[in-house]
Structures are given as structure tokens and as C-alpha cells.
Amino acid sequence: MKTLERKNEVDKASQKEKIAIFGVTHIPGSAERLMLLAEALNESGFLLLYETALYSTLLQQGYSLEKALQFTGYAPSDVVFAVSFGGDGTFLSSLHRLSDPSTPLLPINSGNLGFL
């Protein structure tokens, strides 16, 4: 019975539209703002895929990511769009880590300058 329930959860997760999340949390308050965004996206029915370093950092800071997955290297090619949460460097790094160059990328500046 539990195997069947788990299979249904996996099937439901694979049917959701996926969003890749890149980001940094060293700026005061940025982790809280990122998690507010993540909560809104979860409630809208998206499956969030966090870049591994960000995923680990958020777990270490005590955030619950039980409904999220992680990826290493390039964002999966089946994401609907990606979010870059940080500064200009995070934005540029995120651009280079999209598997499909036509994937839309939403940059959210959590830094001070935000030149780009």
C-alpha cells in the first residue's frame, strides 16, 4: 500500500511544471524573502528544483524543503522558467547554467547595487 502511495506522489510531482531556483542567502533577509517566493510558487502548483548549494544552505539555515528537489550543474531542460535570487553575479552565473538557452530567467535582486 505504501509503495502505491509513493508512486502516486512521484507521478503527481512529474506532472507539475518545474521551476529552477538559483540563489544566494548571505545577504541579510534574503533567505526569508526567497522562502516567501517559494511558498507562493508551491501554492500555485509548481515543483521547485533548487540548485544543490542553495538547497544545502537553506536546509542548514533551518528551512523545510520537503516538497522541493535539487539539481547539480545545469538546470534540467524541462523547467518552465528559472529564478535567479541574488545579485548581478548570481544572475550571470544562472544564465550560464540553463540547459536550454531559450528558458526564461527571472532575476530578483537581493543585493545592494543591481547594475544589470
Side-chain angles (χ1 to χ4, degrees), residues 39-94:
E39 183 180 328
L41 291 171
N42 273 327
E43 289 175 3
S44 296
F46 291 101
L47 177 62
L48 303 182
L49 308 171
Y50 290 87
E51 187 274 325
T52 300
L54 176 61
Y55 187 91
S56 298
T57 301
L58 290 171
L59 285 178
Q60 288 173 355
Q61 293 179 4
Y63 292 101
S64 173
L65 300 173
E66 60 192 44
K67 294 183 180 179
L69 300 175
Q70 59 183 314
F71 66 92
T72 303
Y74 291 94
S77 60
D78 62 343
V79 297
V80 177
F81 71 93
V83 174
S84 174
F85 198 89
D88 291 346
T90 306
F91 173 59
L92 292 172
S93 172
S94 301

Side-chain angles (χ1 to χ4, degrees), residues 15-48:
Q15 294 172 356
K16 289 184 174 184
E17 291 183 315
K18 299 172 186 165
I19 298 174
I21 309 285
F22 298 95
V24 293
T25 61
H26 63 273
I27 299 162
S30 64
E32 292 84 6
R33 291 189 299 271
L34 174 59
M35 294 312 294
L36 286 173
L37 172 65
E39 183 180 328
L41 291 171
N42 273 327
E43 289 175 3
S44 296
F46 291 101
L47 177 62
L48 303 182

